[in-house]
Amino acid sequence: MTKTYDLEERTALFAKNVRLFVKLLPRSISNTEDIKQLVRSSGSVGANYIEANDSLSKKDFLMRIKICRKEAKESRYWLKLLDVGENHVIAKERDKLFQESTELMNIFGAIVRKTEK
């Protein structure tokens, strides 16, 4: 049986899990920069979803949801670039976060399509 999630809670959990994950990564110049970008984009998914729920119009709602989708997609990009070294546990965690960002991207894409109809 699949667990149902409140999307606001799910996006907050995604951002929190990203923050826990980046603490495990090996430190390098590139990882440091990519981590900053990943932390920003993962948090922005949920922040923009909250904004969408408080939007003043359908147009504003749609724009915010599109930003959610864009930030989820960007999070996938930064996850892909991170160097996890030879650690398979960290690589597996990255894969889980990559999957979650993909699912969030798809959810927001579906909301966009339904709203635009």
Side-chain angles (χ1 to χ4, degrees), residues 68-111:
C68 293
R69 183 181 60 188
K70 179 184 85 65
E71 295 293 342
K73 191 173 188 176
E74 185 177 325
S75 295
R76 281 184 357 150
Y77 176 76
W78 296 118
L79 283 162
K80 203 181 292 187
L81 288 181
L82 287 170
D83 176 14
V84 296
E86 299 295 318
N87 191 319
H88 298 296
V89 174
I90 295 174
K92 190 173 182 177
E93 188 58 34
R94 180 190 53 194
D95 293 345
K96 285 184 204 172
L97 290 169
F98 188 88
Q99 180 61 38
E100 178 63 1
S101 60
T102 301
E103 288 178 20
L104 288 169
M105 199 178 76
N106 291 338
I107 289 167
F108 291 119
I111 293 171

Side-chain angles (χ1 to χ4, degrees), residues 21-61:
F21 166 72
V22 298
K23 291 177 182 179
L24 306 173
L25 291 169
R27 296 296 173 221
S28 66
I29 293 170
S30 60
N31 265 4
T32 299
E33 292 305 312
D34 294 344
I35 286 168
K36 289 177 188 177
Q37 296 288 348
L38 173 59
V39 167
R40 284 187 191 103
S41 63
S42 68
S44 186
V45 176
N48 277 287
Y49 184 66
I50 290 168
E51 290 286 323
N53 286 333
D54 289 335
S55 62
L56 303 172
S57 67
K58 183 179 174 180
K59 184 178 176 183
D60 185 35
F61 173 80

